[in-house]
Amino acid sequence: MIDTDTTDNLIALVREIFGEGFIPLHRPVFEGNEKQYLIDCIDSNFVSSVGARVTEFEERIAAFSGSKFAIATVNGTAALHAALILAGIERGDEVLSQALTFIATCNAISYIGAKPVFIDVDEDTLGMSPVALRRWLEANSRPEQGRAVNITTGARIAACVPMHTFGFPVRIAEIAAICEEFGIALVEDAAESLGSYVGERHTGTFGKLATYSFNGNKVITTGGGGMIVTDDPELAKRAKHLTTTAKIPHPYEFVHDEVGYNYRLPNLNAALGCAQMEKLPAMLAIKADIAARYRTFCAEHGLRFVDAREGTTPNWWLNAVILNDRDERDAFLSYTNEHQTMTRPIWRLMSELDMFSSCQSDGLDTSRWLSDRIVNLPSSVPESEFHRITNERS
Ligand SMILES: *Cc1c(COP(=O)(O)O)cnc(C)c1O
């Protein structure tokens, strides 16, 4: 049981790390070349959909993540929408995903007119369980011309979209093997996991396609932004085409060969992203330090800290603790938020939202259990730490 003393001590630790006043859950830091790169954009007049920073940002993300190709988009939801189209998902298809995720995952599936099926998560990764995935597929699907079809609905099971919750890598290699076996396209929602690894391999490099988000609360931000990554040159070409209004290159004519999307990232946002990428390794190091301080605190106070699974390196985007039950969670949330310390529960399960209440699921025991108990703790990179580390390095 987390008592008031422990909560007060935790708040004291938060203040020691982040300082006084209101402490947000996750705020961006702009302590590098952000201002300069934005000024350069304005001075050069390249603020919008054309400009060198977009290409540079794409190259930086590809190099950092170890993907062959990266295509910038206006936000992570748009990236996921386009990636799902490119993975071949069509209206009426079903997509295996998590009920324990941010709404964007299911929104993107819905934009296509496809329907999510909710697979339970693992207690340690907070993400899709390969055991639950196989169990559901074996009980609910049959093969038809090398693809999986849902026995009950007759719909094609076109894709699987696991999500690396809070930057903790799911058992992605195991999930990839199952998708391969059942003829299901794997698209990783890696929105939260830039800088997270399984062994040496970056999350987002296991699927046919993966997507990142650079929203204001993510590990790095472009204000708003997203990225599609893939190793397939054809998909990469299609991704760029589809997200830039499907325009045929021509010196002056406007010709478009399909209904495309205006999902391109403006150069201004990409400039911010380039500056943020220069600091990402330093930010990840600081985030790991903060996680270590929470880990020690939790061990000393008998709290359950969500830790890295063996063989993985999370980016520590959002730290989390698992409390004993929903009442304890609610008491903790209201006490900390009343004391200017922003804490948050995990998202309401997708299966409990009106739009998705009719979707199939496997029972979701662990998802439900976790959603009653998880709380996120403040996890920003403190500016003071940032200066200390970057000065030491330069
Ligand atoms: C942030 C996020 C997205 C994309 O969000 P945008 O705000 O559109 O960039 C998608 N999925 C998950 C799980 C996310 O956390």
Side-chain angles (χ1 to χ4, degrees):
M1 195 73 200
I2 183 161
D3 52 21
T4 311
D5 275 357
T6 306
T7 309
D8 282 334
N9 286 332
L10 182 56
I11 291 173
L13 173 66
V14 166
R15 302 222 160 271
E16 207 180 296
I17 301 173
F18 299 101
E20 294 307 309
F22 173 74
I23 309 297
L25 199 64
H26 203 280
R27 62 185 288 267
V29 271
F30 302 115
E31 298 289 319
N33 289 318
E34 287 84 358
K35 267 186 199 156
Q36 191 52 53
Y37 291 177
L38 288 175
I39 290 168
D40 293 347
C41 283
I42 293 166
D43 286 349
S44 70
N45 231 355
F46 283 109
V47 295
S48 191
S49 48
V50 177
R53 289 294 185 192
V54 175
T55 311
E56 183 192 335
F57 186 46
E58 290 173 338
E59 287 169 359
R60 280 181 171 279
I61 293 289
F64 184 87
S65 67
S67 291
K68 288 210 176 80
F69 305 99
I71 300 89
T73 60
V74 72
N75 59 55
T77 311
L80 195 55
H81 179 204
L84 293 175
I85 294 171
L86 294 163
I89 295 151
E90 293 173 358
R91 178 168 297 279
D93 284 343
E94 290 177 2
V95 176
L96 308 175
S97 192
Q98 301 172 196
L100 197 72
T101 186
F102 177 58
I103 190 75
T105 316
C106 292
N107 280 344
I109 294 167
S110 304
Y111 297 160
I112 297 183
K115 219 171 167 180
V117 171
F118 300 118
I119 305 297
D120 207 4
V121 298
D122 280 330
E123 202 180 301
D124 55 350
T125 68
L126 317 178
M128 187 181 284
S129 158
V131 173
L133 175 64
R134 174 177 292 283
R135 190 184 300 138
W136 189 87
L137 280 166
E138 284 177 351
N140 295 282
S141 76
R142 61 177 158 80
E144 204 178 279
Q145 292 160 347
R147 327 196 75 158
V149 169
N150 185 322
I151 289 170
T152 317
T153 61
R156 183 173 71 121
I157 302 161
C160 177
V161 185
M163 197 276 283
H164 303 283
T165 307
F166 306 148
F168 295 102
V170 297
R171 292 188 163 78
I172 190 67
E174 293 86 336
I175 291 171
I178 295 170
C179 289
E180 176 84 37
E181 180 185 331
F182 284 81
I184 297 169
L186 175 62
V187 178
E188 292 174 74
D189 184 347
E192 305 182 354
S193 70
L194 184 70
S196 299
Y197 297 82
V198 177
E200 303 282 302
R201 194 161 161 192
H202 197 280
T203 52
T205 61
F206 292 80
K208 193 180 175 111
L209 297 135
T211 57
Y212 300 104
S213 165
F214 312 110
N215 187 37
N217 63 347
K218 297 280 159 58
V219 172
I220 63 156
T221 187
T222 55
M227 194 75 76
I228 302 167
V229 292
T230 182
D231 282 345
D232 182 327
E234 274 313 303
L235 284 178
K237 218 163 92 188
R238 288 261 303 128
K240 195 62 173 178
H241 189 64
L242 193 65
T243 55
T244 55
T245 68
K247 185 178 180 294
I248 309 276
H250 190 279
Y252 47 83
E253 290 243 47
F254 296 102
V255 185
H256 306 258
D257 64 355
E258 63 181 311
V259 176
Y261 296 86
N262 181 14
Y263 278 175
R264 59 193 142 198
L265 184 73
N267 202 48
L268 270 179
N269 301 79
L272 212 51
C274 290
Q276 292 265 286
M277 280 306 285
E278 292 171 356
K279 302 296 180 192
L280 180 57
M283 295 206 266
L284 291 172
I286 295 166
K287 291 180 81 66
D289 283 350
I290 294 170
R293 294 179 74 171
Y294 279 133
R295 178 187 297 115
T296 304
F297 180 92
C298 288
E300 284 168 354
H301 292 82
L303 288 178
R304 189 164 156 199
F305 177 67
V306 180
D307 215 332
R309 178 167 57 90
E310 208 180 323
T312 68
T313 311
N315 59 6
W316 301 109
W317 173 47
L318 288 185
N319 290 283
V321 289
I322 299 178
L323 300 179
N324 284 316
D325 55 36
R326 199 179 177 100
D327 288 344
E328 192 178 301
R329 181 199 79 166
D330 291 343
F332 179 83
L333 285 169
S334 74
Y335 189 86
T336 47
N337 283 289
E338 275 162 21
H339 288 80
Q340 297 207 76
T341 305
M342 187 165 162
T343 57
R344 284 291 180 266
I346 201 165
W347 316 279
R348 177 75 52 91
L349 293 185
M350 295 299 110
S351 50
E352 290 171 11
L353 303 180
D354 283 348
M355 311 81 85
F356 304 115
S357 59
S358 72
C359 295
Q360 257 184 307
S361 82
D362 65 1
L364 304 171
D365 289 343
T366 306
S367 303
R368 225 182 301 282
W369 188 89
L370 284 169
S371 76
D372 280 341
R373 290 167 178 76
I374 288 195
V375 174
N376 285 126
L377 305 175
S379 302
S380 314
V381 169
E383 265 158 33
S384 53
E385 263 311 279
F386 189 81
H387 287 139
R388 194 178 62 74
I389 284 223
T390 46
N391 288 339
E392 271 172 15
R393 290 187 174 189
S394 55

